[in-house]
Amino acid sequence: MFRLLKGFTKESTWLSLSHCGSSQFSYVPQHDPAAETDVSKLREFLLCSKKLLVITGAGISTESGIPDYRSEGVGLYARSNARPILYQDFLRNDFKRNRYWARNYVGWPRFSSVQPNAVHQKLAEWEQKGQLHWLVTQNVDALHSKAGTKRLTELHGCTHRVECLHCKQLTSRHKLQERIEQLNPQLHMQVENIGPDGDVLLKEDHITGFQMPSCERCEGLLKPQVVFFGNSVPQATVAFVYDKVIESDALLVLGSSLYVYSAYRILLRARQQKLPIAIITIGKTRADSIADVKISAKCSEVLKKLDM
């Protein structure tokens, strides 16, 4: 069921009514089933690999009920004029930073309760069987960790951790939720629909009265330990991932358009290393021209057909 926050119009919400429903697949764009010949090529691709590197993007989390930004027809950019906060705005603009945290606070119970789907579980199973060398995810939703994956790099960080921009202390996002609630007992809403990073739209008067706690150690500004738009992946993380490319013998991409350069450059490095590349993503990607296997279909359906 679609619930409308009090005081909102249908046009002001993340989703139009046509995109809301009880199905967790309402954020998956329209697609055709994978051709059996393509599935066979992918199966052969995987059987030839002994050290498989996997990159995952927002397209796999849409199957858990988290929308993405760019999917045709159902992504945030297709449904709304809303855009994610920029890193410099978070640092310098008090109102935008407060608005970000207020929206994030209201959306957190729903976002943090999302569970892994068949794709996350299959990748964790591959790891347990020794079929997965390393997994790099662009997602910040912690669903791979919830599924049990250990050999994991969160390229853009994780919303479940919060860092102080001054003293760098890390704290739990759940703990921060409790502190925010103590300061804002009036801001209590139940939502069923969230944005790609777990936020929701709020009326301006809710944001105006919102109070955000500071770091308990030094009173510095708090920020999710994620890479915001306009910021860069830490060089140490990039170097670590490049080392994993060198260690691997094949690269599989699941659910990513590779539009963001931080992920696309991993494909470029893999191509330099002459690694075979396979991509499963609905629609076109930035790396289609260098892929040895490309399947435009839902990831869970393709992995189920592999029977591996």
Side-chain angles (χ1 to χ4, degrees):
M1 177 181 291
F2 180 80
R3 293 182 182 174
L4 203 61
L5 294 183
K6 185 177 180 181
F8 279 81
T9 65
K10 284 178 284 188
E11 289 74 18
S12 67
T13 57
W14 288 123
L15 302 177
S16 68
L17 289 173
S18 63
H19 289 133
C20 294
S22 58
S23 172
Q24 67 267 42
F25 300 134
S26 60
Y27 301 117
V28 178
Q30 293 184 352
H31 59 282
D32 294 324
E36 290 300 329
T37 53
D38 289 337
V39 174
S40 296
K41 290 179 183 178
L42 180 63
R43 185 181 294 109
E44 182 177 354
F45 171 95
L46 293 172
L47 288 174
C48 290
S49 174
K50 302 301 180 183
K51 286 192 171 185
L52 179 67
L53 177 64
V54 175
I55 297 176
T56 63
I60 71 166
S61 292
T62 57
E63 297 190 40
S64 285
I66 299 177
D68 64 8
Y69 285 109
R70 298 180 177 86
S71 284
E72 183 176 355
V74 294
L76 177 67
Y77 294 164
R79 298 180 280 104
S80 169
N81 291 325
R83 293 295 182 267
I85 190 170
L86 298 177
Y87 180 59
Q88 292 303 321
D89 286 339
F90 185 90
L91 294 180
R92 299 174 181 175
N93 190 306
D94 292 346
F95 173 77
K96 290 184 178 181
R97 183 172 57 252
N98 240 31
R99 181 178 64 187
Y100 170 85
W101 274 120
R103 291 175 172 179
N104 187 273
Y105 166 71
V106 173
W108 179 252
R110 172 73 182 89
F111 185 73
S112 62
S113 67
V114 173
Q115 294 301 308
N117 59 55
V119 180
H120 302 98
Q121 293 163 354
K122 176 59 70 173
L123 292 173
E125 179 185 319
W126 284 1
E127 180 187 273
Q128 293 170 359
K129 292 180 177 179
Q131 297 172 327
L132 172 68
H133 178 58
W134 202 263
L135 194 158
V136 178
T137 185
Q138 298 172 257
N139 302 334
V140 298
D141 50 34
L143 293 184
H144 285 299
S145 294
K146 288 182 179 180
T149 297
K150 306 297 183 185
R151 301 178 65 81
L152 172 68
T153 295
E154 293 166 320
L155 190 65
H156 297 148
C158 181
T159 57
H160 287 245
R161 299 185 296 271
V162 179
E163 63 179 341
C164 172
L165 293 177
H166 179 66
C167 71
K168 306 305 179 183
Q169 177 177 254
L170 292 180
T171 56
S172 161
R173 179 63 184 81
H174 287 294
K175 180 180 179 181
L176 178 61
Q177 187 76 0
E178 295 174 357
R179 295 183 62 205
I180 297 175
E181 185 175 7
Q182 291 174 0
L183 293 176
N184 303 274
Q186 79 289 349
L187 190 57
H188 183 69
M189 303 175 184
Q190 287 188 339
V191 296
E192 293 185 1
N193 302 300
I194 52 177
D197 294 322
D199 53 349
V200 297
L201 287 179
L202 295 177
K203 292 173 61 178
E204 190 167 319
D205 59 346
H206 289 140
I207 298 167
T208 301
F210 179 78
Q211 297 184 62
M212 179 63 194
S214 57
C215 175
E216 290 183 299
R217 176 191 287 176
C218 72
E219 298 187 354
L221 293 177
L222 296 177
K223 170 187 166 295
Q225 196 186 36
V226 300
V227 178
F228 280 178
F229 284 80
N231 198 8
S232 301
V233 175
Q235 283 301 309
T237 302
V238 176
F240 181 86
V241 171
Y242 281 172
D243 285 344
K244 294 304 174 185
V245 172
I246 293 172
E247 296 171 5
S248 303
D249 60 13
L251 173 59
L252 172 65
V253 178
L254 298 173
S256 176
S257 66
L258 302 168
Y259 179 84
V260 177
Y261 185 71
S262 57
Y264 177 62
R265 63 182 169 184
I266 302 173
L267 274 287
L268 297 180
R269 181 59 62 98
R271 179 50 70 198
Q272 290 176 0
Q273 297 292 325
K274 302 188 185 306
L275 266 62
I277 297 171
I279 301 174
I280 308 173
T281 296
I282 298 173
K284 296 180 180 179
T285 82
R286 193 173 179 179
D288 284 356
S289 63
I290 61 173
D292 300 285
V293 179
K294 169 63 196 304
I295 302 177
S296 181
K298 190 164 68 175
C299 293
S300 62
E301 293 177 352
V302 175
L303 297 186
K304 183 177 181 180
K305 288 183 176 182
L306 286 174
D307 192 27
M308 293 178 62

